[in-house]
Structure formats: C-alpha cells, structure tokens
C-alpha cells in the first residue's frame, strides 16, 4: 500500500505513473535516448527503442526487461527496432511499421536521434557535412513524425510528439563552427510549431525540448575538462548546473509531455539550460 508521501506525490505529479503508454524513441542506444528509456520504463511505459547499433539496443532492452515489470505477463517491456535515421523514406516507414506492430499502437514519439557534426566555419563547411547533419537532425525527425503521425491520426487516439532539440537552435545564442547544427535545430523548432498547428486537429500534440549540455555517456569526456566548470560558473545563473543530470532535469519534462496533464500544451519550445542562454553571448565555440 502506498504511504502518505507517495499519495501526495501522485496528486502533485500524476505523470510519475505512465503505465500502458507506448513510446517510440529514436537514437536510444546512448546519451539522452538511453536515459529516457530507463526513466520511462521505471514509469511503466512500453518502449520501442530505435537506433543503428542493434547490439546496444539489445543490451538496453535486456537491462529494462530484467529490472522492470511488464503489466502484461510474459510480454517484454522494451523491444528493439533497427533504424538508420539517414535511410530513404521507405526504409524509415518500414521501421515505423515494425515499431507500431510491436505493441499494436504508439502513443508517443520522441525524436531524439541527432548529431552535432564538426566545427567548421561557414566558409570551410562542406556540402556533405551540411547534408548529413540536416538529414539526421531535421529530415529524420520529419519522416518519423509523418509516418507515426499518420498512424496516430488513423487510430483516432491522439498522441504526443516530442522533438529533442538544442539551445543552439535558439535565436538568442550563436557560436562559431556550429552553422549546420544550429540551423538544423532552428529548423526543428519551426517544424515543431508548424506540426503542432496541423496535427492539433487530430489531437496530436507536438512540443520540443531545447537543452544545454548535461552529464551523460556522450559528454563524459567534456565534463572531464578542467576549464568547463569555470565556464559554467561564469555564464550559468544556477550554481548547481555543473552537476545537472539528464534524469530528472529532462526526464521529468518528458514525462509531463506524455501525460494527459499536458493535454493543452502544444507548439512550445521548452528551454532547459539553467539560464545559460540568458546572456545571449557565445559560450562554447569548438565542442
């Protein structure tokens, strides 16, 4: 039986329990995607985790299925789907169909797959690099949204699409060497608001989360740099930001955007950066 503290928490944060929600996460083999998957499994979600590295997906599903209970006996809580987000549209649609079939529907799409790319300036940036960054960060998110959104529409149950973006896509921060990345994320923000406008009639909500850098497997090397804490101390208003973790800083927001408590929330860009973009000046120029 839940204690009094648990009952109060459930009343104040109903999104702590998401049992039965089916979530499709791209880029789940590492970084944010891995952390989102673990957190949402803890909340009771059924997960379809997608990425290119199938061995990493298998390890993630094994971790989830052996540590969290499924609401359906003998049924896995997490299943892997191989997906190269740079593939041609028919390949991506086939992966989406496999994902949809896994549990019979999808309630939530988290477009998490992304790449920063190199740090070449405008005059040195190659056409191939530009195209690669856009194909992953923008085209991939659009195609997954298109194919899952159409199935959500036909199922008539509505849904939530969450685009994982970056503060680099905001108009109040610019940096040297991030032209392709920042432009692709700005495009993702524009796509978020446009899709929210068009999909709202089908009760599909579309929002984006624009985080700064958080501690994760991907940023481990960066956090080992001695100068990084000095940068945070100088630029970020919140003093605890250097210790910011993906969970709960981002995962709680993801849970909220999944839960019906956010049923009137759509077309928003949620900035989660400890206030580090408030100054509007370049912070990192060569990550």
């Amino acid at each position: 039986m839940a204690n009094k503290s648990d009952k109060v928490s459930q009343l104040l944060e109903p999104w702590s329990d998401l049992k039965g929600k089916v979530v499709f996460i791209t880029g789940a083999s590492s970084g944010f995607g891995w952390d989102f998957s673990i957190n949402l499994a803890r909340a009771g979600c059924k997960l379809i985790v997608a990425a290119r590295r199938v061995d990493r997906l298998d390890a993630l599903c094994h971790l989830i299925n052996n540590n969290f209970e499924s609401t359906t006996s003998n049924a896995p809580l997490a299943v892997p789907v191989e997906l190269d987000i740079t593939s041609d549209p028919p390949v991506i649609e086939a992966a989406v169909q496999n994902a949809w079939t896994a549990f019979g529907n999808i309630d939530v799409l988290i477009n998490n797959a992304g790449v920063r790319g190199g740090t070449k300036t405008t005059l040195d940036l190659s056409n191939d690099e530009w195209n690669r960054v856009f194909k992953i960060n923008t085209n991939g998110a659009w195609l997954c949204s298109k194919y899952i959104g159409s199935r959500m529409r036909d199922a008539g149950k509505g849904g939530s699409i969450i685009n994982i973006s970056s503060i680099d896509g905001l108009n109040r921060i610019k940096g040297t060497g991030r032209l392709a990345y920042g432009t692709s994320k700005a495009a993702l923000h524009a796509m978020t608001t446009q899709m929210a406008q068009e999909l709202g009639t089908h009760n599909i909500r579309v929002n984006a989360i624009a985080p700064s850098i958080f501690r994760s497997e991907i940023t481990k090397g960066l956090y080992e740099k001695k100068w990084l804490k000095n940068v945070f101390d100088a630029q970020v208003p919140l003093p605890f930001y250097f210790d910011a973790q993906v969970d709960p800083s981002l995962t709680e927001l993801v849970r909220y955007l999944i839960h019906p408590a956010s049923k009137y929330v759509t077309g928003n860009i949620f900035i989660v950066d400890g206030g580090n973009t408030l100054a509007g000046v370049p912070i990192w120029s060569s990550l």
Side-chain angles (χ1 to χ4, degrees), residues 29-221:
S29 60
S30 62
F32 287 176
W34 183 284
D35 290 341
F36 291 158
S37 299
I38 298 296
N39 182 274
L40 293 178
R42 187 177 296 116
C45 293
K46 299 176 181 178
L47 300 166
I48 305 109
V49 293
R52 292 178 302 164
R53 295 181 290 177
V54 179
D55 59 328
R56 292 277 298 177
L57 295 179
D58 288 340
L60 176 60
C61 290
H62 179 80
L63 177 63
I64 290 172
N65 291 327
N66 283 276
N67 286 278
F68 303 101
E69 292 185 8
S70 172
T71 55
T72 306
S73 60
N74 300 322
L77 198 63
V79 297
V81 169
E82 184 176 4
L83 173 61
D84 182 346
I85 208 71
T86 67
S87 299
D88 292 334
V91 176
I92 293 180
E93 184 171 22
V96 165
Q97 183 57 45
N98 289 338
W100 189 274
T101 303
F103 293 109
N105 74 291
I106 292 174
D107 299 301
V108 181
L109 164 63
I110 302 179
N111 282 313
N112 172 72
V115 64
R116 178 172 291 274
T119 55
K120 297 294 182 65
T121 62
T122 300
L123 301 183
D124 295 325
L125 181 66
S126 71
N127 189 59
D128 287 343
E129 176 74 354
W130 173 275
N131 289 337
R132 184 178 76 91
V133 171
F134 264 81
K135 199 163 190 178
I136 296 172
N137 293 353
T138 309
N139 289 24
W142 164 57
L143 289 171
C144 287
S145 299
K146 175 182 179 179
Y147 296 133
I148 290 180
S150 63
R151 286 163 173 77
M152 286 177 172
R153 175 200 62 197
D154 295 343
K157 296 172 58 180
S160 176
I161 296 175
I162 304 170
N163 295 321
I164 305 303
S165 182
S166 168
I167 58 171
D168 279 69
L170 303 175
N171 63 8
R172 66 191 195 191
I173 180 169
K174 298 292 180 288
T176 303
R178 301 200 299 261
L179 179 68
Y181 181 71
T183 307
S184 70
K185 291 302 187 178
L188 186 60
H189 291 164
M191 188 169 71
T192 296
T193 55
Q194 184 67 39
M195 288 197 305
Q197 176 70 28
E198 296 178 353
L199 299 183
T201 187
H202 305 299
N203 196 28
I204 300 172
R205 297 176 289 109
V206 187
N207 293 281
I209 300 175
S212 182
I213 296 173
F214 282 80
R215 286 184 178 271
S216 73
E217 175 188 359
I218 292 175
T219 61
K220 184 176 183 295

Side-chain angles (χ1 to χ4, degrees), residues 243-258:
D243 294 323
Q245 305 286 335
V246 176
D247 186 2
S249 300
L250 298 178
T251 53
E252 285 299 311
L253 178 54
V254 168
R255 285 193 188 196
Y256 171 68
L257 293 174
I258 291 173

